[in-house]
Structure formats: C-alpha cells, structure tokens
PDB file of all heavy atoms in Angstrom:
ATOM      1  N   ALA A   1     -39.690   5.751  58.976  1.00 97.00           N
ATOM      2  CA  ALA A   1     -39.643   5.658  57.515  1.00 97.00           C
ATOM      3  C   ALA A   1     -40.843   6.377  56.898  1.00 97.00           C
ATOM      4  O   ALA A   1     -40.689   7.111  55.914  1.00 97.00           O
ATOM      5  CB  ALA A   1     -39.613   4.194  57.086  1.00 97.00           C
ATOM      6  N   ALA A   2     -42.015   6.191  57.469  1.00 97.00           N
ATOM      7  CA  ALA A   2     -43.216   6.860  56.961  1.00 97.00           C
ATOM      8  C   ALA A   2     -43.071   8.376  57.065  1.00 97.00           C
ATOM      9  O   ALA A   2     -43.410   9.107  56.127  1.00 97.00           O
ATOM     10  CB  ALA A   2     -44.453   6.394  57.723  1.00 97.00           C
ATOM     11  N   HIS A   3     -42.535   8.857  58.176  1.00 96.00           N
ATOM     12  CA  HIS A   3     -42.352  10.298  58.365  1.00 96.00           C
ATOM     13  C   HIS A   3     -41.318  10.880  57.402  1.00 96.00           C
ATOM     14  O   HIS A   3     -41.396  12.054  57.051  1.00 96.00           O
ATOM     15  CB  HIS A   3     -41.942  10.598  59.811  1.00 96.00           C
ATOM     16  CG  HIS A   3     -43.097  10.686  60.742  1.00 96.00           C
ATOM     17  ND1 HIS A   3     -43.491  11.853  61.335  1.00 96.00           N
ATOM     18  CD2 HIS A   3     -43.973   9.738  61.173  1.00 96.00           C
ATOM     19  CE1 HIS A   3     -44.544  11.625  62.089  1.00 96.00           C
ATOM     20  NE2 HIS A   3     -44.854  10.343  62.005  1.00 96.00           N
ATOM     21  N   LEU A   4     -40.364  10.064  57.014  1.00 96.00           N
ATOM     22  CA  LEU A   4     -39.308  10.516  56.089  1.00 96.00           C
ATOM     23  C   LEU A   4     -39.636  10.161  54.642  1.00 96.00           C
ATOM     24  O   LEU A   4     -38.832  10.405  53.754  1.00 96.00           O
ATOM     25  CB  LEU A   4     -37.961   9.901  56.488  1.00 96.00           C
ATOM     26  CG  LEU A   4     -37.437  10.257  57.879  1.00 96.00           C
ATOM     27  CD1 LEU A   4     -36.180   9.453  58.191  1.00 96.00           C
ATOM     28  CD2 LEU A   4     -37.165  11.752  58.001  1.00 96.00           C
ATOM     29  N   THR A   5     -40.802   9.594  54.426  1.00 97.00           N
ATOM     30  CA  THR A   5     -41.236   9.087  53.117  1.00 97.00           C
ATOM     31  C   THR A   5     -40.171   8.206  52.454  1.00 97.00           C
ATOM     32  O   THR A   5     -39.792   8.408  51.314  1.00 97.00           O
ATOM     33  CB  THR A   5     -41.705  10.218  52.169  1.00 97.00           C
ATOM     34  OG1 THR A   5     -40.636  11.132  51.958  1.00 97.00           O
ATOM     35  CG2 THR A   5     -42.918  10.932  52.715  1.00 97.00           C
ATOM     36  N   LEU A   6     -39.718   7.242  53.244  1.00 97.00           N
ATOM     37  CA  LEU A   6     -38.726   6.271  52.802  1.00 97.00           C
ATOM     38  C   LEU A   6     -39.251   4.865  53.082  1.00 97.00           C
ATOM     39  O   LEU A   6     -40.105   4.682  53.949  1.00 97.00           O
ATOM     40  CB  LEU A   6     -37.414   6.471  53.564  1.00 97.00           C
ATOM     41  CG  LEU A   6     -36.629   7.738  53.282  1.00 97.00           C
ATOM     42  CD1 LEU A   6     -35.515   7.911  54.312  1.00 97.00           C
ATOM     43  CD2 LEU A   6     -36.040   7.693  51.880  1.00 97.00           C
ATOM     44  N   PRO A   7     -38.708   3.879  52.395  1.00 97.00           N
ATOM     45  CA  PRO A   7     -39.098   2.505  52.724  1.00 97.00           C
ATOM     46  C   PRO A   7     -38.511   2.078  54.075  1.00 97.00           C
ATOM     47  O   PRO A   7     -37.464   2.582  54.497  1.00 97.00           O
ATOM     48  CB  PRO A   7     -38.509   1.670  51.588  1.00 97.00           C
ATOM     49  CG  PRO A   7     -37.567   2.529  50.862  1.00 97.00           C
ATOM     50  CD  PRO A   7     -37.830   3.950  51.234  1.00 97.00           C
ATOM     51  N   HIS A   8     -39.200   1.167  54.720  1.00 98.00           N
ATOM     52  CA  HIS A   8     -38.686   0.568  55.952  1.00 98.00           C
ATOM     53  C   HIS A   8     -38.194  -0.835  55.626  1.00 98.00           C
ATOM     54  O   HIS A   8     -38.865  -1.584  54.912  1.00 98.00           O
ATOM     55  CB  HIS A   8     -39.774   0.483  57.027  1.00 98.00           C
ATOM     56  CG  HIS A   8     -39.324  -0.270  58.234  1.00 98.00           C
ATOM     57  ND1 HIS A   8     -39.775  -1.544  58.520  1.00 98.00           N
ATOM     58  CD2 HIS A   8     -38.431   0.050  59.197  1.00 98.00           C
ATOM     59  CE1 HIS A   8     -39.185  -1.952  59.628  1.00 98.00           C
ATOM     60  NE2 HIS A   8     -38.365  -1.017  60.059  1.00 98.00           N
ATOM     61  N   VAL A   9     -37.028  -1.183  56.133  1.00 97.00           N
ATOM     62  CA  VAL A   9     -36.467  -2.514  55.937  1.00 97.00           C
ATOM     63  C   VAL A   9     -36.245  -3.142  57.306  1.00 97.00           C
ATOM     64  O   VAL A   9     -35.548  -2.575  58.147  1.00 97.00           O
ATOM     65  CB  VAL A   9     -35.124  -2.449  55.161  1.00 97.00           C
ATOM     66  CG1 VAL A   9     -34.522  -3.838  55.023  1.00 97.00           C
ATOM     67  CG2 VAL A   9     -35.311  -1.792  53.811  1.00 97.00           C
ATOM     68  N   ASP A  10     -36.854  -4.285  57.520  1.00 96.00           N
ATOM     69  CA  ASP A  10     -36.658  -5.057  58.740  1.00 96.00           C
ATOM     70  C   ASP A  10     -35.695  -6.184  58.398  1.00 96.00           C
ATOM     71  O   ASP A  10     -35.995  -7.021  57.546  1.00 96.00           O
ATOM     72  CB  ASP A  10     -37.995  -5.600  59.231  1.00 96.00           C
ATOM     73  CG  ASP A  10     -37.852  -6.351  60.527  1.00 96.00           C
ATOM     74  OD1 ASP A  10     -37.307  -7.485  60.503  1.00 96.00           O
ATOM     75  OD2 ASP A  10     -38.292  -5.828  61.568  1.00 96.00           O
ATOM     76  N   LEU A  11     -34.533  -6.183  59.036  1.00 96.00           N
ATOM     77  CA  LEU A  11     -33.484  -7.144  58.691  1.00 96.00           C
ATOM     78  C   LEU A  11     -33.964  -8.589  58.859  1.00 96.00           C
ATOM     79  O   LEU A  11     -33.719  -9.427  57.996  1.00 96.00           O
ATOM     80  CB  LEU A  11     -32.242  -6.883  59.554  1.00 96.00           C
ATOM     81  CG  LEU A  11     -30.944  -7.511  59.087  1.00 96.00           C
ATOM     82  CD1 LEU A  11     -30.560  -7.041  57.692  1.00 96.00           C
ATOM     83  CD2 LEU A  11     -29.823  -7.201  60.068  1.00 96.00           C
ATOM     84  N   ASP A  12     -34.676  -8.866  59.939  1.00 93.00           N
ATOM     85  CA  ASP A  12     -35.172 -10.230  60.143  1.00 93.00           C
ATOM     86  C   ASP A  12     -36.158 -10.635  59.044  1.00 93.00           C
ATOM     87  O   ASP A  12     -36.128 -11.767  58.561  1.00 93.00           O
ATOM     88  CB  ASP A  12     -35.839 -10.368  61.511  1.00 93.00           C
ATOM     89  CG  ASP A  12     -34.832 -10.454  62.656  1.00 93.00           C
ATOM     90  OD1 ASP A  12     -33.626 -10.622  62.387  1.00 93.00           O
ATOM     91  OD2 ASP A  12     -35.258 -10.366  63.822  1.00 93.00           O
ATOM     92  N   LYS A  13     -37.018  -9.713  58.632  1.00 95.00           N
ATOM     93  CA  LYS A  13     -37.976 -10.035  57.558  1.00 95.00           C
ATOM     94  C   LYS A  13     -37.253 -10.286  56.238  1.00 95.00           C
ATOM     95  O   LYS A  13     -37.673 -11.130  55.446  1.00 95.00           O
ATOM     96  CB  LYS A  13     -39.009  -8.920  57.421  1.00 95.00           C
ATOM     97  CG  LYS A  13     -40.008  -8.958  58.541  1.00 95.00           C
ATOM     98  CD  LYS A  13     -41.154  -8.039  58.330  1.00 95.00           C
ATOM     99  CE  LYS A  13     -42.137  -8.276  59.462  1.00 95.00           C
ATOM    100  NZ  LYS A  13     -42.880  -7.178  59.897  1.00 95.00           N
ATOM    101  N   LYS A  14     -36.177  -9.554  55.991  1.00 96.00           N
ATOM    102  CA  LYS A  14     -35.384  -9.805  54.773  1.00 96.00           C
ATOM    103  C   LYS A  14     -34.777 -11.202  54.811  1.00 96.00           C
ATOM    104  O   LYS A  14     -34.734 -11.897  53.799  1.00 96.00           O
ATOM    105  CB  LYS A  14     -34.275  -8.750  54.612  1.00 96.00           C
ATOM    106  CG  LYS A  14     -34.763  -7.440  54.082  1.00 96.00           C
ATOM    107  CD  LYS A  14     -35.218  -7.590  52.648  1.00 96.00           C
ATOM    108  CE  LYS A  14     -35.751  -6.288  52.118  1.00 96.00           C
ATOM    109  NZ  LYS A  14     -36.402  -6.443  50.822  1.00 96.00           N
ATOM    110  N   ILE A  15     -34.305 -11.616  55.985  1.00 95.00           N
ATOM    111  CA  ILE A  15     -33.732 -12.956  56.117  1.00 95.00           C
ATOM    112  C   ILE A  15     -34.803 -14.007  55.836  1.00 95.00           C
ATOM    113  O   ILE A  15     -34.556 -14.992  55.132  1.00 95.00           O
ATOM    114  CB  ILE A  15     -33.104 -13.152  57.519  1.00 95.00           C
ATOM    115  CG1 ILE A  15     -31.888 -12.221  57.670  1.00 95.00           C
ATOM    116  CG2 ILE A  15     -32.711 -14.606  57.754  1.00 95.00           C
ATOM    117  CD1 ILE A  15     -31.369 -12.088  59.086  1.00 95.00           C
ATOM    118  N   VAL A  16     -36.005 -13.792  56.346  1.00 94.00           N
ATOM    119  CA  VAL A  16     -37.122 -14.708  56.091  1.00 94.00           C
ATOM    120  C   VAL A  16     -37.429 -14.759  54.600  1.00 94.00           C
ATOM    121  O   VAL A  16     -37.627 -15.832  54.026  1.00 94.00           O
ATOM    122  CB  VAL A  16     -38.367 -14.295  56.912  1.00 94.00           C
ATOM    123  CG1 VAL A  16     -39.602 -15.073  56.476  1.00 94.00           C
ATOM    124  CG2 VAL A  16     -38.104 -14.483  58.406  1.00 94.00           C
ATOM    125  N   GLU A  17     -37.431 -13.591  53.940  1.00 95.00           N
ATOM    126  CA  GLU A  17     -37.673 -13.547  52.491  1.00 95.00           C
ATOM    127  C   GLU A  17     -36.625 -14.347  51.731  1.00 95.00           C
ATOM    128  O   GLU A  17     -36.943 -15.103  50.820  1.00 95.00           O
ATOM    129  CB  GLU A  17     -37.638 -12.095  51.980  1.00 95.00           C
ATOM    130  CG  GLU A  17     -38.861 -11.288  52.271  1.00 95.00           C
ATOM    131  CD  GLU A  17     -38.705  -9.846  51.792  1.00 95.00           C
ATOM    132  OE1 GLU A  17     -37.902  -9.566  50.869  1.00 95.00           O
ATOM    133  OE2 GLU A  17     -39.393  -8.983  52.366  1.00 95.00           O
ATOM    134  N   TYR A  18     -35.343 -14.154  52.085  1.00 92.00           N
ATOM    135  CA  TYR A  18     -34.260 -14.828  51.368  1.00 92.00           C
ATOM    136  C   TYR A  18     -34.274 -16.332  51.569  1.00 92.00           C
ATOM    137  O   TYR A  18     -33.980 -17.089  50.654  1.00 92.00           O
ATOM    138  CB  TYR A  18     -32.900 -14.288  51.824  1.00 92.00           C
ATOM    139  CG  TYR A  18     -32.607 -12.869  51.399  1.00 92.00           C
ATOM    140  CD1 TYR A  18     -31.837 -12.044  52.206  1.00 92.00           C
ATOM    141  CD2 TYR A  18     -33.075 -12.328  50.206  1.00 92.00           C
ATOM    142  CE1 TYR A  18     -31.555 -10.731  51.835  1.00 92.00           C
ATOM    143  CE2 TYR A  18     -32.807 -11.025  49.833  1.00 92.00           C
ATOM    144  CZ  TYR A  18     -32.040 -10.232  50.655  1.00 92.00           C
ATOM    145  OH  TYR A  18     -31.771  -8.943  50.291  1.00 92.00           O
ATOM    146  N   THR A  19     -34.595 -16.764  52.793  1.00 92.00           N
ATOM    147  CA  THR A  19     -34.487 -18.189  53.107  1.00 92.00           C
ATOM    148  C   THR A  19     -35.797 -18.945  52.944  1.00 92.00           C
ATOM    149  O   THR A  19     -35.778 -20.171  52.814  1.00 92.00           O
ATOM    150  CB  THR A  19     -34.008 -18.388  54.558  1.00 92.00           C
ATOM    151  OG1 THR A  19     -34.991 -17.843  55.448  1.00 92.00           O
ATOM    152  CG2 THR A  19     -32.645 -17.749  54.789  1.00 92.00           C
ATOM    153  N   GLY A  20     -36.916 -18.231  52.998  1.00 94.00           N
ATOM    154  CA  GLY A  20     -38.207 -18.890  52.979  1.00 94.00           C
ATOM    155  C   GLY A  20     -38.522 -19.588  54.294  1.00 94.00           C
ATOM    156  O   GLY A  20     -39.435 -20.403  54.370  1.00 94.00           O
ATOM    157  N   LYS A  21     -37.752 -19.281  55.334  1.00 93.00           N
ATOM    158  CA  LYS A  21     -37.949 -19.891  56.651  1.00 93.00           C
ATOM    159  C   LYS A  21     -38.104 -18.799  57.707  1.00 93.00           C
ATOM    160  O   LYS A  21     -37.456 -17.760  57.619  1.00 93.00           O
ATOM    161  CB  LYS A  21     -36.761 -20.768  57.037  1.00 93.00           C
ATOM    162  CG  LYS A  21     -36.563 -21.960  56.125  1.00 93.00           C
ATOM    163  CD  LYS A  21     -35.394 -22.807  56.599  1.00 93.00           C
ATOM    164  CE  LYS A  21     -35.127 -23.965  55.677  1.00 93.00           C
ATOM    165  NZ  LYS A  21     -36.143 -24.973  55.660  1.00 93.00           N
ATOM    166  N   GLU A  22     -38.952 -19.065  58.682  1.00 90.00           N
ATOM    167  CA  GLU A  22     -39.100 -18.153  59.811  1.00 90.00           C
ATOM    168  C   GLU A  22     -37.815 -18.173  60.643  1.00 90.00           C
ATOM    169  O   GLU A  22     -37.079 -19.172  60.635  1.00 90.00           O
ATOM    170  CB  GLU A  22     -40.297 -18.548  60.682  1.00 90.00           C
ATOM    171  CG  GLU A  22     -41.631 -18.409  59.980  1.00 90.00           C
ATOM    172  CD  GLU A  22     -41.954 -16.973  59.592  1.00 90.00           C
ATOM    173  OE1 GLU A  22     -41.661 -16.049  60.371  1.00 90.00           O
ATOM    174  OE2 GLU A  22     -42.504 -16.778  58.487  1.00 90.00           O
ATOM    175  N   ILE A  23     -37.578 -17.087  61.389  1.00 86.00           N
ATOM    176  CA  ILE A  23     -36.367 -16.980  62.204  1.00 86.00           C
ATOM    177  C   ILE A  23     -36.268 -18.155  63.180  1.00 86.00           C
ATOM    178  O   ILE A  23     -35.202 -18.769  63.309  1.00 86.00           O
ATOM    179  CB  ILE A  23     -36.327 -15.636  62.972  1.00 86.00           C
ATOM    180  CG1 ILE A  23     -36.361 -14.440  62.001  1.00 86.00           C
ATOM    181  CG2 ILE A  23     -35.115 -15.566  63.895  1.00 86.00           C
ATOM    182  CD1 ILE A  23     -35.216 -14.356  61.033  1.00 86.00           C
ATOM    183  N   LYS A  24     -37.358 -18.485  63.847  1.00 83.00           N
ATOM    184  CA  LYS A  24     -37.323 -19.590  64.818  1.00 83.00           C
ATOM    185  C   LYS A  24     -36.991 -20.915  64.135  1.00 83.00           C
ATOM    186  O   LYS A  24     -36.339 -21.772  64.730  1.00 83.00           O
ATOM    187  CB  LYS A  24     -38.599 -19.662  65.639  1.00 83.00           C
ATOM    188  CG  LYS A  24     -39.862 -19.896  64.868  1.00 83.00           C
ATOM    189  CD  LYS A  24     -41.076 -19.830  65.790  1.00 83.00           C
ATOM    190  CE  LYS A  24     -42.361 -19.949  64.996  1.00 83.00           C
ATOM    191  NZ  LYS A  24     -43.537 -19.807  65.815  1.00 83.00           N
ATOM    192  N   GLU A  25     -37.403 -21.086  62.862  1.00 89.00           N
ATOM    193  CA  GLU A  25     -37.052 -22.300  62.114  1.00 89.00           C
ATOM    194  C   GLU A  25     -35.555 -22.339  61.830  1.00 89.00           C
ATOM    195  O   GLU A  25     -34.921 -23.398  61.931  1.00 89.00           O
ATOM    196  CB  GLU A  25     -37.798 -22.354  60.782  1.00 89.00           C
ATOM    197  CG  GLU A  25     -39.281 -22.614  60.881  1.00 89.00           C
ATOM    198  CD  GLU A  25     -39.904 -22.603  59.498  1.00 89.00           C
ATOM    199  OE1 GLU A  25     -39.911 -23.669  58.854  1.00 89.00           O
ATOM    200  OE2 GLU A  25     -40.368 -21.527  59.069  1.00 89.00           O
TER     201      GLU A  25
END
C-alpha cells in the first residue's frame, strides 16, 4: 500500500474497530 500510495486495510483490524472487541474475545 505504501509503495502504491494507497491506504492499507487489515480485515481483522476493521472487525475490531466495528465490534470494539479483540479477535480472540
């Protein structure tokens, strides 16, 4: 993403953002 000057999206991190819970939780 940095090389392409684009944002990087991590699917697991998005899930954490949406739920407010860590994946293991």
Side-chain angles (χ1 to χ4, degrees):
H3 276 248
L4 299 174
T5 60
L6 292 169
H8 173 253
V9 177
D10 183 287
L11 196 59
D12 284 349
K13 285 189 175 148
K14 282 292 178 190
I15 294 167
V16 170
E17 283 177 24
Y18 291 148
T19 63
K21 296 182 183 292
E22 295 297 321
I23 301 299
K24 61 185 175 184
E25 289 178 87

